[in-house]
Amino acid sequence: MRTISKETGLGWTTFSVDDSGGSVCDIKNDCTNIAIATPRGVQDVTGLDKSAYERLLLLADGTVTANGVFNDAASHAHVVFKTVSSTSVARTVSIGVSGQTLAMEMLFTDFQYTRAASGELTFSAPGVLADGTAPTWS
């Protein structure tokens, strides 16, 4: 019998973000989708004698963008992100799926709401790495 270790994105274990006071809030129920990136910078060091690029890896980075629906109940998305424009605090973001966890200290740079013509009220909250620690899945 052959086992398949591939999985879907269904059933995320955690998506938590600290509020501005440092309290952990699991907001996965408010989020409809998230984008996570852990890119590395590169430096082009190609010499004139080469016919293909030579590159060196540089600094690591991390970004997350959470998108979801309005929920202003205690410990939910609106309460977590409503202070983004008035506070300058790093927030721990923890993402867990299938026993794998990624935790990053992040600065959220915006908290946008969109009210569609159909009546939907959705948000987007982008965050960037805050503390110089390379993002690592564990």
Side-chain angles (χ1 to χ4, degrees), residues 3-25:
T3 59
I4 297 176
S5 58
K6 296 177 183 177
E7 299 178 34
T8 68
L10 303 176
W12 278 64
T13 324
T14 59
F15 180 61
S16 60
V17 178
D18 289 356
D19 64 16
S20 60
S23 297
V24 178
C25 300

Side-chain angles (χ1 to χ4, degrees), residues 45-122:
V45 294
T46 308
L48 295 175
D49 61 335
K50 300 293 188 240
S51 58
Y53 285 107
E54 291 179 291
R55 294 184 176 103
L56 299 174
L57 282 175
L58 300 175
L59 296 173
D61 199 0
T63 63
V64 64
T65 300
N67 298 293
V69 294
F70 181 81
N71 185 348
D72 62 352
S75 299
H76 286 275
H78 180 75
V79 174
V80 169
F81 294 124
K82 72 180 182 179
T83 58
V84 164
S85 65
S86 61
T87 60
S88 299
V89 297
R91 300 160 189 251
T92 302
V93 173
S94 182
I95 300 153
V97 61
S98 186
Q100 307 300 313
T101 303
L102 178 63
M104 300 181 281
E105 289 298 310
M106 309 209 79
L107 296 171
F108 281 85
T109 59
D110 199 0
F111 181 44
Q112 308 164 11
Y113 271 113
T114 301
R115 196 281 189 178
S118 62
E120 298 167 354
L121 184 57
T122 59

